[in-house]
Amino acid sequence: DKIMGKSVCEEAFKLSKEEVFDKSMTYWNSGKTKEWLDLKIDLLIGKREGYYFWDMDGKKLMDVHINGGTYSLGHRNPEVIEALKEATDYVDIGNHHFPSPLKAMLAETVIKASPEGMKHVIYGSSGGEIVDFALKCARAATKRKKIVCIQNAYHGHTGLAVAAGNDRYSKIFLADKGPDEYIKVPFNDVAAMEEALKGGDVAAAILETIPATYGFLMPEEGYLPAVKALCEKYGTLYIADEVQTGLMRSGEMWAITKYGVTPDIIVTSKGFSGGIYPISAAILNEKASYWMTQDGSAHMATFGGAELGCACALKVFEILNRPETKKNIDFISDYLRKGLDKIREENPDIFTGIRQCGTIMGLEFAGKEGAIPVMQHLYQNGVWAIYSQLDPHVLQFKPGILASKEYCDELLEKMEKGIREAREDILAQA
């Protein structure tokens, strides 16, 4: 009985932290486990609720990493959990060969929440998988193979997606394709983009609207519209990776629309089901859907569009479409920015800048790896925020979109203390 039902979690969480770290080093991912321990982050997440979680030793932390937007609606959002429970009275994952009421309802909901001209939704189970699918669609539609992507991008760890990302994630697995297939250009460089596209042989340009793992580098004025115009000029499809920036985190359903761009494909995952069930989606216009007219069974995924996940995602969209949600996003975006500006004014020698689009924020700190000591001090003060892996002078700061004023006040108080202590430590070691 101890390995069945609810007792599985009960038995697992009886382990001590030492036992979990030992088992992780022995049986799980020793490199990742050691990486965090070397950074003095001995975190093992136990209880979680809303925008808080508790370390297994009882330490309470405010979560402004939210796993890249996965917990944008909070950990274990009760409405989404209830939707999942209710769905289990009717369905399981379903059968990927056939339509279903839940898949159809969710697809209609997503299309209605997307830019004009988007026609179809295809599901996956993760961000990397759905990026792979989007790239396949572009190749099918254009009969071209080349992909243009951004230097220091991140699109996931699956086959096509990892090759479109930074070499850190691709080279170790020999997935770093040569210039004949993947062309990488700097972000915010229109001339470099045109140079890559002008041969007329590129299937797709894929861009995170705001590159998250690269530290939320903001698009310069006119950049994204210029990229879209170049794609149209040279017959290339534009894929907007909205896995971390979509679902209202910018204040709009899709961040790309804030920049006046309608892409050919939008990909979404992470917070798509509120962190309760794995599901992702690609939103396609007519041209990107070309393959369906040739062979609608050319792409399938057993767990793609699992009906349980669709039920969760439908509840997520219901929450996102509430007027009070948009109002709250606007409030906390402004309120937290004012508080962070004040903290920056008090620590100008280490806290050097703020990148922001709604609740999507990157906090800049002095030094090549300036965000790492800040992360460590915030952790000590009960705030979990993570440094940007591809630009560690930037701290990823991602408040949940349903956060209250009381939560924001507590967060700013702890941010002020953590950053001040980091500054004192840094100056003492200088």
Side-chain angles (χ1 to χ4, degrees):
D1 291 340
K2 289 185 178 180
I3 57 171
M4 300 296 291
K6 293 182 180 179
S7 63
V8 170
C9 284
E10 292 171 356
E11 288 299 306
F13 283 96
K14 286 180 182 177
L15 295 172
S16 68
K17 289 186 72 170
E18 292 74 17
E19 289 174 313
V20 176
F21 282 124
D22 180 62
K23 290 179 185 294
S24 298
M25 289 291 290
T26 304
Y27 301 113
W28 184 62
N29 188 327
S30 58
K32 183 178 282 290
T33 303
K34 185 176 184 298
E35 178 183 351
W36 286 114
L37 290 174
D38 287 347
L39 286 169
K40 301 178 181 179
I41 306 293
D42 59 342
L43 175 61
L44 291 175
I45 299 174
K47 176 185 173 183
R48 61 212 75 176
E49 184 177 344
Y51 297 116
Y52 296 93
F53 60 75
W54 285 256
D55 186 277
M56 282 182 62
D57 64 9
K59 179 182 176 69
K60 183 179 181 181
L61 291 116
M62 309 184 79
D63 190 1
V64 286
H65 172 230
I66 57 174
N67 208 14
T70 303
Y71 304 112
S72 197
L73 301 183
H75 289 275
R76 301 177 62 251
N77 182 284
E79 292 188 74
V80 182
I81 288 177
E82 186 60 30
L84 176 63
K85 288 179 177 178
E86 290 177 355
T88 60
D89 290 335
Y90 294 90
V91 299
D92 44 29
I93 69 165
N95 190 311
H96 63 283
H97 286 287
F98 301 103
S100 83
L102 285 166
K103 283 190 280 191
M105 283 181 64
L106 178 59
E108 180 183 20
T109 298
V110 171
I111 290 297
K112 287 182 176 179
S114 298
E116 186 176 352
M118 306 312 271
K119 297 292 186 182
H120 301 285
V121 174
I122 297 294
Y123 302 110
S125 58
S126 70
E129 178 189 3
I130 209 65
V131 167
D132 277 10
F133 168 71
L135 294 173
K136 292 197 305 182
C137 286
R139 287 176 168 177
T142 62
K143 300 296 183 283
R144 303 171 180 176
K145 196 169 186 181
K146 288 184 181 180
I147 306 295
V148 170
C149 41
I150 300 300
Q151 294 171 359
N152 292 322
Y154 173 81
H155 298 289
H157 294 278
T158 48
L160 300 180
V162 76
N166 184 266
D167 286 350
R168 173 183 177 180
Y169 309 114
S170 58
K171 276 191 173 183
I172 194 169
F173 300 112
L174 307 184
D176 49 321
K177 308 295 184 184
D180 291 340
E181 191 167 338
Y182 286 80
I183 305 166
K184 297 182 179 180
V185 300
F187 194 65
N188 281 326
D189 190 331
V190 176
M193 180 63 72
E194 180 157 27
E195 182 66 25
L197 296 180
K198 70 180 184 181
D201 57 354
V202 174
I206 181 168
L207 294 86
E208 294 175 274
T209 303
I210 301 169
T213 309
Y214 194 22
F216 294 125
L217 191 63
M218 293 293 155
E220 293 176 358
E221 185 175 356
Y223 171 66
L224 295 179
V227 172
K228 172 61 174 172
L230 289 171
C231 286
E232 292 178 351
K233 179 179 179 180
Y234 295 112
T236 297
L237 268 61
Y238 185 118
I239 301 173
D241 183 338
E242 293 268 336
V243 169
Q244 293 205 44
T245 58
L247 303 173
M248 294 296 292
R249 294 206 53 79
S250 68
E252 301 293 338
M253 187 62 73
W254 311 112
I256 191 69
T257 62
K258 296 192 76 169
Y259 297 94
V261 173
T262 298
D264 299 286
I265 303 174
I266 298 172
V267 294
T268 182
S269 184
K270 289 196 183 291
F272 192 48
S273 71
I276 299 301
Y277 201 97
I279 187 170
S280 57
I283 310 161
L284 315 170
N285 67 12
E286 204 68 58
K287 183 175 182 179
S289 307
Y290 165 81
W291 65 276
M292 295 181 193
T293 65
Q294 304 302 302
D295 183 357
S297 292
H299 173 86
M300 289 182 283
T302 301
F303 291 90
E307 292 182 60
L308 292 173
C310 290
C312 294
L314 280 163
K315 177 56 68 173
V316 166
F317 270 77
E318 179 190 324
I319 296 169
L320 294 178
N321 282 317
R322 293 171 185 166
E324 57 265 34
T325 300
K326 174 70 164 69
K327 184 178 180 181
N328 198 65
I329 293 167
D330 292 342
F331 167 74
I332 62 175
S333 299
D334 292 341
Y335 192 76
L336 287 175
R337 177 56 186 262
K338 289 175 183 176
L340 290 170
D341 279 337
K342 185 174 183 295
I343 296 171
R344 184 165 59 91
E345 290 168 4
E346 294 168 351
N347 302 273
D349 45 355
I350 71 155
F351 191 177
T352 58
I354 299 174
R355 303 169 177 179
Q356 182 183 14
C357 180
T359 61
I360 302 163
M361 302 188 201
L363 312 185
E364 300 176 78
F365 293 92
K368 188 177 180 181
E369 297 184 340
I372 293 178
V374 174
M375 175 189 72
Q376 292 169 322
H377 280 273
L378 289 174
Y379 176 64
Q380 293 167 14
N381 281 278
V383 175
W384 178 237
I386 195 171
Y387 71 95
S388 299
Q389 287 194 342
L390 298 179
D391 187 355
H393 98 282
V394 179
L395 185 80
Q396 294 188 6
F397 185 80
K398 295 172 280 194
I401 63 174
L402 303 181
S404 66
K405 178 182 181 297
E406 291 74 21
Y407 182 92
C408 292
D409 286 335
E410 180 186 357
L411 178 59
L412 288 170
E413 181 180 345
K414 292 182 176 180
M415 290 291 293
E416 188 280 327
K417 187 171 184 289
I419 292 172
R420 173 167 43 82
E421 291 179 0
R423 176 179 180 269
E424 292 170 355
D425 193 25
I426 291 168
L427 294 179
Q429 295 179 35

